[in-house]
Amino acid sequence: MGKFIVETLVRVEFEDRLLSHLERVITTKLRRNESFTFSWKDDISIGGGRTTIWLHPNSNILYKFHGSRTPHINRAWVQALTLTAAGPQGLHVVPEPADTWPEAETREPMRFDMASDSDEEPPSHGPVIVTSEKPADI
């Protein structure tokens, strides 16, 4: 569980995956000098209820992740969270939608053939420069 800490007033734990998505949304809005509210439901272990904070470009925020790896970012979830942040209720956690963005294209690794010093024909993939001399003017 990662920690979301604002100033010295608020400390709340979110799963690292959710916290990574919140970080992107919050950072983007603050970078644009946008202020907004952020609300979440409190765990029953601390009495339940709901907490709302006001975030502004001068807020001191710390994102402390439990794990060392950044999780895969679901762009559809970032977009859904961003839409809530722009609404009248402010940013709040919504369920993660299916990732509708295409995965990175998989390609075969590139293969390079090294030119030899022999008089053999160059590989069929194109010319191979074996000298750095300037060609003679024709």
Side-chain angles (χ1 to χ4, degrees), residues 17-50:
R17 180 164 176 71
L18 170 58
L19 188 58
S20 288
H21 287 78
L22 291 171
E23 176 188 20
R24 276 158 181 74
V25 173
I26 292 168
T27 301
T28 299
K29 288 193 67 68
L30 296 179
R31 194 177 290 143
R32 294 177 181 159
N33 282 325
E34 298 176 18
S35 300
F36 58 100
T37 60
F38 175 32
S39 301
W40 60 87
K41 291 181 182 176
D42 294 319
D43 191 68
I44 196 70
S45 66
I46 60 168
R50 181 174 53 89

Side-chain angles (χ1 to χ4, degrees), residues 16-21 24 65 69-74:
D16 279 3
R17 180 164 176 71
L18 170 58
L19 188 58
S20 288
H21 287 78
R24 276 158 181 74
F65 296 92
R69 292 186 181 175
T70 302
H72 168 75
I73 298 301
N74 179 341

Side-chain angles (χ1 to χ4, degrees), residues 109-131:
M110 294 180 74
R111 191 178 132 207
F112 296 95
D113 293 327
M114 300 299 290
S116 64
D117 292 335
S118 67
D119 293 333
E120 295 177 20
E121 289 287 318
S124 61
H125 59 43
V128 176
I129 297 173
V130 292
T131 181

Side-chain angles (χ1 to χ4, degrees), residues 10 22 40 44 68 75 93 109 128 134:
V10 178
L22 291 171
W40 60 87
I44 196 70
S68 61
R75 293 181 187 182
V93 177
V128 176
K134 183 178 176 183

Side-chain angles (χ1 to χ4, degrees), residues 49-65:
R50 181 174 53 89
T51 300
T52 300
I53 60 172
W54 177 252
L55 294 174
H56 54 87
N58 293 325
S59 297
N60 291 318
I61 300 172
L62 170 69
Y63 303 92
K64 175 66 175 142
F65 296 92

